[in-house]
Amino acid sequence: MGRFFFFSLLSLLVIFPTAIPQTQSKPVMALPLYTNSRWVVDEGGQRVKLACVNWVSHLEPMVTDGLSKQPMDAISKKIASMGFNCVRLTWPLFLVTNDSLASLTVRQSCQSLGLSESIAGIQANNPSIIDLPLIKAYQAVVSSLGANNVKVILENSISKPGDQYFSADLWIKGLSRMATIFNGVSNVVGMSLRNEFQGPRQKVNDWYRYMQKGAEALHLANPDILVILSGLSYDKDLSFLRNQQVNLTFTRKLVYEVHWNGFSDGKTWESGNPNQVCGREVDNFMRLSGFLLDQGWPLLVSEFEMDQRGTNNVNDISYMNCFLAIAAELDLDWSYYLRDGVIGLNEYHGPLNMNWTETRNLTFLQRISAFQSPFRGPGLSEANLHKVIFHPSTGLCVLRKSLTEPLRLGACTESEAWSYTPQKTLTLKGTYFCLQAIELGKPAKLGTICTGSNSKWQTISDSKMYLSSKVNDGSTACLDVDSDNSIVTNTCKCLSRDDTCDPGSQWFKLVDSTRSSSSAKTFN
């Protein structure tokens, strides 16, 4: 029973925007895509933020997961209706390079693995592909996504499902074939050369040699698509690019990808103070890959994940709060990932249940809806540059209804436009009102006398995610959230080496944005 689990769950990203109904239609993007410094843009030069779902198609049967559970068009429509704009669709190299495997039909591939129930399910839900060759079935999935206005990134995960086989020459040949097959398919906007470049060639010199060859071969076969390069050490390390970039003949098509998973840090989130761990892990991320943004290169976080059961997993909770804050601050392109399973495993890192019918954890999906759309970027200056106050543990932002009502958390689409001044005051942009700390355990308020210590907000701790001020009696306080999502000030917690404390309610991130905001509404 050690075979891969065929129909593991679709990994879905940024679902259920809290202020947008699921039936809202998405505008058709001007394809193909290009790069403009650190941004991915469309033909008109407007930023396109890649908020993707990983859909697995590289396991032993080499058939896209879930097709025994639901019709592919139903899955594609669900992805589109939930607000996704792309799918990262995995594939094994042997799908296009091994004639004996590539000639198998879907039915034959499942039969060879004894997956009789899967055959029956595909026959019932997707009868049109059951006797198609594997590559034709794969093309049908891509076509279904395109028909529903969903972009696709083709991601080469492995060579032969279930083994570590790798031949550089065969790999380059496979990239060329796959790029050629999808040349002219408009919704295929990018190809990732290799997931977690591993094996004996995991050396910097070999990385440059083979990635450059692969990138050139891919671009020659299909010059329209983005060329996406992954790093070393399970795609966590791109630090070698700091001083030496890849030497390519083409421009405006290169994107880098990186993985950041909580489990890849071992037990560090469980055994250390979350502020110290978050600060250290963010520094590592910026040192190993995040620096590419400052150098003017797009960076896609193509894998991050957490247990979706809603249990009190300390490792997942602290890691995800930290990651979501940085993802919002840097306004990253990203893709939520599902790990492979084994036959019969209930994959708790997937947002849908095993029948592909119910959402496993709506709360988590609402958390990440805040940055489904871009905060900023080329062509997106709906408003002047300002700050939003983002709360990563809820995915909400600080907003207000009137001068007399308490500030509350709400959908970031309705967020206030704040200014963070050199004097460290947080003011409502275009007004004289600033955020003030009044008393421990009481609501933070808006006022017009903004010179006192209770109007100065420092970002403190290793995590840099506390907004700290002084209340009227001189005590130090931190911005916090109470049980009904009102913004209050409390004693700062978890600043010491306490490893069991959860600072989530007091973690905030000031995020740059040019989205239109509600700060122009009048007080009443």
Side-chain angles (χ1 to χ4, degrees):
M1 299 297 286
R3 293 171 177 160
F4 288 109
F5 173 39
F6 179 15
F7 297 115
S8 54
L9 303 182
L10 179 68
S11 282
L12 302 181
L13 304 142
V14 199
I15 316 183
F16 306 115
T18 54
I20 303 175
Q22 292 182 0
T23 55
Q24 179 188 22
S25 61
K26 288 282 184 177
V28 177
M29 298 295 182
L31 304 174
L33 301 181
Y34 301 87
T35 64
N36 176 5
S37 184
R38 62 149 292 186
W39 310 107
V40 173
V41 298
D42 63 19
E43 284 190 308
Q46 180 163 320
R47 185 189 174 188
V48 176
K49 184 169 184 174
L50 297 173
C52 306
V53 40
N54 284 276
W55 200 354
V56 174
S57 194
H58 69 271
L59 303 183
E60 280 192 82
M62 294 196 288
V63 182
T64 309
D65 285 4
L67 299 186
S68 70
K69 305 293 185 180
Q70 295 289 329
M72 70 174 69
D73 191 59
I75 297 173
S76 297
K77 279 182 166 57
K78 190 174 186 67
I79 292 169
S81 70
M82 289 178 174
F84 297 104
N85 66 10
C86 82
V87 161
R88 185 171 173 254
L89 190 63
T90 65
W91 61 281
L93 192 63
F94 279 24
L95 179 64
V96 292
T97 60
N98 185 289
D99 292 339
S100 62
L101 288 177
S103 63
L104 290 177
T105 65
V106 171
R107 185 191 304 273
Q108 290 167 338
S109 180
C110 293
Q111 285 174 338
S112 70
L113 297 167
L115 298 173
S116 56
E117 291 185 10
S118 297
I119 294 172
I122 297 174
Q123 183 76 64
N125 290 290
N126 292 284
S128 64
I129 69 164
I130 190 68
D131 291 312
L132 286 182
L134 293 170
I135 186 61
K136 293 294 185 182
Y138 188 94
Q139 288 175 278
V141 172
V142 173
S143 178
S144 174
L145 290 165
N148 288 282
N149 197 29
V150 179
K151 295 181 282 293
V152 174
I153 293 173
L154 307 177
E155 196 269 336
N156 176 226
S157 283
I158 52 179
S159 298
K160 178 182 183 298
D163 73 10
Q164 298 297 319
Y165 181 83
F166 182 82
S167 162
D169 291 338
L170 190 66
W171 170 62
I172 292 173
K173 179 181 178 181
L175 290 175
S176 295
R177 285 190 176 181
M178 200 67 165
T180 300
I181 289 170
F182 288 98
N183 193 342
V185 180
S186 61
N187 69 309
V188 175
V189 298
M191 280 186 66
S192 173
L193 270 66
R194 188 75 173 183
N195 181 58
E196 298 185 349
F197 196 60
Q198 300 178 34
R201 291 190 178 90
Q202 193 178 190
K203 303 171 185 175
V204 171
N205 289 341
D206 284 341
W207 186 94
Y208 281 103
R209 178 184 177 188
Y210 294 113
M211 285 296 189
Q212 287 174 173
K213 283 185 176 181
E216 293 287 1
L218 192 158
H219 183 73
L220 180 64
N222 190 339
D224 283 339
I225 57 179
L226 298 173
V227 176
I228 305 171
L229 305 186
S230 60
L232 301 177
S233 299
Y234 297 95
D235 199 12
K236 294 190 298 182
D237 186 6
L238 289 159
S239 61
F240 46 87
L241 291 166
R242 187 180 296 275
N243 299 315
Q244 180 186 347
Q245 267 296 327
V246 291
N247 183 18
L248 301 174
T249 61
F250 58 89
T251 59
R252 298 199 65 203
K253 287 292 182 180
L254 180 61
V255 175
Y256 290 107
E257 66 173 312
V258 65
H259 298 171
W260 186 5
N261 290 305
F263 62 81
S264 62
D265 302 320
K267 296 292 186 180
T268 184
W269 292 96
E270 293 182 21
S271 59
N273 175 270
N275 284 292
Q276 295 167 331
V277 174
C278 181
R280 184 169 63 247
E281 293 303 316
V282 170
D283 287 346
N284 285 339
F285 173 78
M286 296 305 297
R287 175 178 58 85
L288 294 174
S289 61
F291 69 90
L292 288 164
L293 298 170
D294 294 331
Q295 290 190 350
W297 299 99
L299 183 64
L300 168 70
V301 180
S302 56
E303 292 187 16
F304 74 99
E305 62 180 292
M306 70 173 291
D307 190 316
Q308 293 291 297
R309 288 173 291 180
T311 56
N312 293 320
N313 183 320
V314 174
N315 201 72
D316 276 357
I317 291 171
S318 297
Y319 148 72
M320 190 57 67
N321 286 343
C322 182
F323 171 78
L324 294 182
I326 299 308
E329 180 183 33
L330 299 178
D331 204 1
L332 294 166
D333 297 279
W334 49 275
S335 183
Y336 188 66
Y337 190 70
L338 167 73
R339 286 184 293 166
D340 301 337
V342 296
I343 293 174
L345 177 68
N346 191 350
E347 177 50 75
Y348 294 115
H349 288 242
L352 296 182
N353 65 7
M354 291 191 72
N355 293 321
W356 293 63
T357 56
E358 300 294 335
T359 302
R360 189 182 298 278
N361 188 336
L362 177 58
T363 300
F364 174 73
L365 298 176
Q366 290 173 330
R367 285 179 61 189
I368 57 180
S369 68
F371 46 96
Q372 178 186 23
S373 300
F375 283 104
R376 54 196 166 98
L380 298 176
S381 297
E382 300 170 352
N384 292 329
L385 183 66
H386 58 272
K387 303 283 187 183
V388 298
I389 306 176
F390 177 65
H391 190 245
S393 72
T394 60
L396 302 175
C397 291
V398 176
L399 53 89
R400 53 89 186 175
K401 291 185 177 180
S402 71
L403 181 60
T404 57
E405 294 183 72
L407 295 165
R408 298 179 58 82
L409 290 179
C412 290
T413 53
E414 302 174 12
S415 175
E416 308 302 322
W418 298 87
S419 293
Y420 189 52
T421 70
Q423 294 75 37
K424 301 191 181 303
T425 60
L426 276 166
T427 62
L428 282 176
K429 202 170 181 66
T431 77
Y432 294 105
F433 292 99
C434 63
L435 183 65
Q436 296 179 337
I438 305 301
E439 183 180 347
L440 289 175
K442 299 294 184 180
K445 293 184 180 290
L446 293 172
T448 56
I449 301 176
C450 303
T451 56
S453 58
N454 71 332
S455 299
K456 313 297 182 185
W457 296 90
Q458 306 271 359
T459 54
I460 63 171
S461 88
D462 292 351
S463 66
K464 299 181 177 64
M465 282 201 286
Y466 290 87
L467 289 172
S468 176
S469 186
K470 299 284 187 181
V471 294
N472 288 341
D473 67 1
S475 302
T476 299
C478 279
L479 209 63
D480 204 341
V481 181
D482 68 11
S483 58
D484 68 352
N485 276 353
S486 294
I487 305 302
V488 297
T489 53
N490 282 318
T491 301
C492 302
K493 60 184 178 181
C494 310
L495 295 179
S496 67
R497 293 187 173 273
D498 183 355
D499 300 341
T500 61
C501 184
D502 176 13
S505 69
Q506 293 187 349
W507 273 5
F508 292 85
K509 180 62 70 172
L510 297 178
V511 176
D512 286 333
S513 178
T514 57
R515 287 181 185 174
S516 59
S517 70
S518 58
S519 62
K521 59 192 174 187
T522 58
F523 288 109
N524 49 50

